[in-house]
């Protein structure tokens, strides 16, 4: 009877390990099939199980897409690459050469608890994942040059966020929860359809750079006092005339304020 119990325990252990291996191979195969279809180099998306599991930096900026299919979706299975700290499905510096046209990010990306930098400039994003607030270690979120019409309220839970760029979208209103980002140091909301700011934005007293369309946005008395306080503290506040007729496609990333 003791031998039978030991054999059953050993079977459970083997089954558990084998099950995890099969599970890993399944989601990895989805990523590899996607990468092979788009001819993404192994240097960007490793074809080794161990290397993919340990991947902490994923960028498509270095790819030559002149003769390649541009991707419109990112497999949800990337949400299982747990060590990923840097994700950049953004665009090349040349505004005429778009790498991709992502319309949405899979909600599973919010499982990346180690993610610190998420750069998605110049895509076709219309919305962000509803669980974006789960990315508790996120420090920089760059969303310029998309088709976003708003931000989810969960963005106010990104407690470690320092940089948020939203230039060149179609946002009409910012969520009040934005004011919860007390550690935010850089905010660019220029080139949108915003005419009024939430009163809670005055809670952002750590800002060092602020870009917005001052000629288009109505400011309350308390918000004017907030701007004056920011200036006194050395914040770079800019609303240059060139943003009156803002064209995100004409500005390279190195020309953006941050």
């Amino acid at each position: 009877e003791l031998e039978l119990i030991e054999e059953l325990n050993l079977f459970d252990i083997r089954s558990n390990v084998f099950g995890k291996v099969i599970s890993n191979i399944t989601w990895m195969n989805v990523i590899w099939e996607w990468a092979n279809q788009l001819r993404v180099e192994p240097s960007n998306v490793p074809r080794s199980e161990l290397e993919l599991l340990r991947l902490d930096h994923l960028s498509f900026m270095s790819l030559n897409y002149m003769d390649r299919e541009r991707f419109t979706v990112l497999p949800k299975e990337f949400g299982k690459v747990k060590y990923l700290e840097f994700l950049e499905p953004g665009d090349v510096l040349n505004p005429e050469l778009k790498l991709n046209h992502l319309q949405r990010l899979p909600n599973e990306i919010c499982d990346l608890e180690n993610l610190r930098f998420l750069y998605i400039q110049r895509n076709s994003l219309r919305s962000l994942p509803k669980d974006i607030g789960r990315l508790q270690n996120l420090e920089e979120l760059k969303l310029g040059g998309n088709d976003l019409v708003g931000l989810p309220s969960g963005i106010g839970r990104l407690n470690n966020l320092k940089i948020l760029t939203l230039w060149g979208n179609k946002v009409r209103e910012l969520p009040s929860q934005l004011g919860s980002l007390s550690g935010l140091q850089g905010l660019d909301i220029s080139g949108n359809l915003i005419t009024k700011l939430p009163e809670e934005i005055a809670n952002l007293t750590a800002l060092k750079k602020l870009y917005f369309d001052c000629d288009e946005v109505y400011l309350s008395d308390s918000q004017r006092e907030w701007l004056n306080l920011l200036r006194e503290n050395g914040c770079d506040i800019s609303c240059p005339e060139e943003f009156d007729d803002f064209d995100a496609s004409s500005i390279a990333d190195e020309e953006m304020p941050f």
Side-chain angles (χ1 to χ4, degrees), residues 61-80:
M61 295 285 283
S62 62
L63 300 183
N64 179 4
Y65 267 66
M66 291 297 293
D67 59 345
R68 306 184 188 203
E69 182 179 352
R70 300 166 185 171
F71 61 85
T72 58
V73 296
L74 198 65
K76 65 180 182 180
E77 285 74 14
F78 275 111
K80 294 184 178 294

Short mmCIF file of all heavy atoms in Angstrom, two decimals, residues 61-80:
data_model
loop_
_atom_site.label_atom_id
_atom_site.label_comp_id
_atom_site.label_asym_id
_atom_site.label_seq_id
_atom_site.Cartn_x
_atom_site.Cartn_y
_atom_site.Cartn_z
N MET A 61 11.40 48.18 -33.02
CA MET A 61 11.93 49.39 -33.63
C MET A 61 13.06 49.10 -34.62
O MET A 61 13.28 49.86 -35.55
CB MET A 61 12.45 50.34 -32.55
CG MET A 61 11.37 50.87 -31.64
SD MET A 61 10.37 52.14 -32.40
CE MET A 61 11.47 53.54 -32.30
N SER A 62 13.79 48.02 -34.41
CA SER A 62 14.97 47.76 -35.23
C SER A 62 14.65 46.96 -36.49
O SER A 62 15.53 46.70 -37.30
CB SER A 62 16.02 46.99 -34.41
OG SER A 62 15.50 45.74 -34.00
N LEU A 63 13.41 46.55 -36.66
CA LEU A 63 13.07 45.70 -37.80
C LEU A 63 12.95 46.50 -39.09
O LEU A 63 12.48 47.63 -39.10
CB LEU A 63 11.74 44.98 -37.54
CG LEU A 63 11.70 44.06 -36.31
CD1 LEU A 63 10.34 43.37 -36.24
CD2 LEU A 63 12.80 43.03 -36.36
N ASN A 64 13.39 45.89 -40.18
CA ASN A 64 13.23 46.49 -41.49
C ASN A 64 11.93 45.95 -42.10
O ASN A 64 11.87 44.80 -42.52
CB ASN A 64 14.42 46.14 -42.39
CG ASN A 64 14.28 46.73 -43.78
OD1 ASN A 64 13.33 47.45 -44.06
ND2 ASN A 64 15.21 46.41 -44.64
N TYR A 65 10.90 46.77 -42.14
CA TYR A 65 9.60 46.31 -42.58
C TYR A 65 9.29 46.72 -44.03
O TYR A 65 8.14 46.66 -44.44
CB TYR A 65 8.51 46.87 -41.65
CG TYR A 65 8.16 45.91 -40.54
CD1 TYR A 65 9.09 45.61 -39.56
CD2 TYR A 65 6.92 45.29 -40.48
CE1 TYR A 65 8.78 44.74 -38.54
CE2 TYR A 65 6.60 44.43 -39.46
CZ TYR A 65 7.54 44.15 -38.49
OH TYR A 65 7.23 43.28 -37.48
N MET A 66 10.29 47.11 -44.75
CA MET A 66 10.05 47.57 -46.11
C MET A 66 9.36 46.50 -46.95
O MET A 66 8.51 46.80 -47.78
CB MET A 66 11.36 47.99 -46.76
CG MET A 66 11.96 49.25 -46.15
SD MET A 66 10.91 50.70 -46.39
CE MET A 66 11.02 50.87 -48.18
N ASP A 67 9.72 45.23 -46.72
CA ASP A 67 9.15 44.16 -47.54
C ASP A 67 8.41 43.16 -46.67
O ASP A 67 8.28 41.99 -47.02
CB ASP A 67 10.25 43.45 -48.34
CG ASP A 67 11.31 42.84 -47.43
OD1 ASP A 67 11.34 43.20 -46.23
OD2 ASP A 67 12.09 42.00 -47.92
N ARG A 68 7.89 43.59 -45.52
CA ARG A 68 7.25 42.67 -44.60
C ARG A 68 5.83 43.13 -44.28
O ARG A 68 5.49 44.30 -44.38
CB ARG A 68 8.05 42.54 -43.31
CG ARG A 68 9.50 42.15 -43.57
CD ARG A 68 10.23 41.93 -42.27
NE ARG A 68 11.67 41.74 -42.53
CZ ARG A 68 12.50 41.13 -41.73
NH1 ARG A 68 12.06 40.63 -40.60
NH2 ARG A 68 13.77 41.01 -42.03
N GLU A 69 5.05 42.16 -43.87
CA GLU A 69 3.67 42.45 -43.48
C GLU A 69 3.66 43.18 -42.14
O GLU A 69 4.34 42.80 -41.20
CB GLU A 69 2.89 41.14 -43.37
CG GLU A 69 1.42 41.33 -43.03
CD GLU A 69 0.70 40.00 -42.96
OE1 GLU A 69 1.30 38.99 -43.32
OE2 GLU A 69 -0.47 40.00 -42.53
N ARG A 70 2.90 44.23 -42.05
CA ARG A 70 2.80 44.98 -40.81
C ARG A 70 1.70 44.35 -39.95
O ARG A 70 0.61 44.10 -40.43
CB ARG A 70 2.46 46.44 -41.10
CG ARG A 70 3.51 47.13 -41.96
CD ARG A 70 3.00 48.43 -42.52
NE ARG A 70 3.98 49.02 -43.43
CZ ARG A 70 3.74 50.07 -44.19
NH1 ARG A 70 2.57 50.65 -44.15
NH2 ARG A 70 4.68 50.55 -44.98
N PHE A 71 1.99 44.15 -38.68
CA PHE A 71 1.00 43.46 -37.86
C PHE A 71 0.00 44.42 -37.25
O PHE A 71 0.29 45.57 -36.95
CB PHE A 71 1.67 42.59 -36.79
CG PHE A 71 2.54 43.31 -35.81
CD1 PHE A 71 1.99 43.90 -34.68
CD2 PHE A 71 3.92 43.37 -35.99
CE1 PHE A 71 2.79 44.55 -33.75
CE2 PHE A 71 4.73 44.01 -35.07
CZ PHE A 71 4.16 44.60 -33.95
N THR A 72 -1.22 43.93 -37.08
CA THR A 72 -2.32 44.72 -36.53
C THR A 72 -2.75 44.21 -35.16
O THR A 72 -3.55 44.88 -34.49
CB THR A 72 -3.54 44.69 -37.48
OG1 THR A 72 -3.94 43.33 -37.68
CG2 THR A 72 -3.18 45.31 -38.82
N VAL A 73 -2.27 43.04 -34.78
CA VAL A 73 -2.62 42.48 -33.47
C VAL A 73 -1.35 41.96 -32.80
O VAL A 73 -0.38 41.58 -33.47
CB VAL A 73 -3.64 41.32 -33.59
CG1 VAL A 73 -4.95 41.82 -34.15
CG2 VAL A 73 -3.09 40.19 -34.44
N LEU A 74 -1.38 41.98 -31.49
CA LEU A 74 -0.31 41.41 -30.69
C LEU A 74 -0.91 40.22 -29.95
O LEU A 74 -1.91 40.37 -29.24
CB LEU A 74 0.21 42.44 -29.69
CG LEU A 74 1.58 42.19 -29.06
CD1 LEU A 74 2.69 42.24 -30.12
CD2 LEU A 74 1.87 43.22 -27.97
N PRO A 75 -0.35 39.01 -30.14
CA PRO A 75 -0.94 37.83 -29.50
C PRO A 75 -1.09 38.00 -27.98
O PRO A 75 -0.18 38.50 -27.31
CB PRO A 75 0.07 36.72 -29.83
CG PRO A 75 0.75 37.19 -31.07
CD PRO A 75 0.83 38.68 -30.94
N LYS A 76 -2.21 37.58 -27.45
CA LYS A 76 -2.45 37.69 -26.01
C LYS A 76 -1.44 36.87 -25.21
O LYS A 76 -1.23 37.12 -24.03
CB LYS A 76 -3.87 37.26 -25.67
CG LYS A 76 -4.14 35.78 -25.95
CD LYS A 76 -5.58 35.41 -25.60
CE LYS A 76 -5.83 33.92 -25.82
NZ LYS A 76 -7.22 33.54 -25.48
N GLU A 77 -0.83 35.89 -25.88
CA GLU A 77 0.12 35.02 -25.20
C GLU A 77 1.37 35.76 -24.72
O GLU A 77 2.09 35.26 -23.86
CB GLU A 77 0.52 33.86 -26.12
CG GLU A 77 -0.52 32.77 -26.28
CD GLU A 77 -1.70 33.19 -27.14
OE1 GLU A 77 -1.59 34.22 -27.84
OE2 GLU A 77 -2.73 32.49 -27.14
N PHE A 78 1.63 36.96 -25.24
CA PHE A 78 2.75 37.75 -24.74
C PHE A 78 2.54 38.12 -23.27
O PHE A 78 3.50 38.47 -22.58
CB PHE A 78 2.95 39.01 -25.58
CG PHE A 78 3.79 38.80 -26.80
CD1 PHE A 78 3.23 38.87 -28.07
CD2 PHE A 78 5.14 38.51 -26.68
CE1 PHE A 78 4.00 38.67 -29.20
CE2 PHE A 78 5.92 38.31 -27.81
CZ PHE A 78 5.36 38.38 -29.08
N GLY A 79 1.32 38.03 -22.80
CA GLY A 79 1.04 38.29 -21.41
C GLY A 79 1.64 37.25 -20.47
O GLY A 79 1.65 37.44 -19.24
N LYS A 80 2.15 36.15 -21.02
CA LYS A 80 2.78 35.10 -20.23
C LYS A 80 4.30 35.25 -20.15
O LYS A 80 4.96 34.46 -19.47
CB LYS A 80 2.42 33.72 -20.80
CG LYS A 80 0.93 33.38 -20.68
CD LYS A 80 0.65 31.98 -21.18
CE LYS A 80 -0.82 31.63 -21.02
NZ LYS A 80 -1.23 31.55 -19.60
#
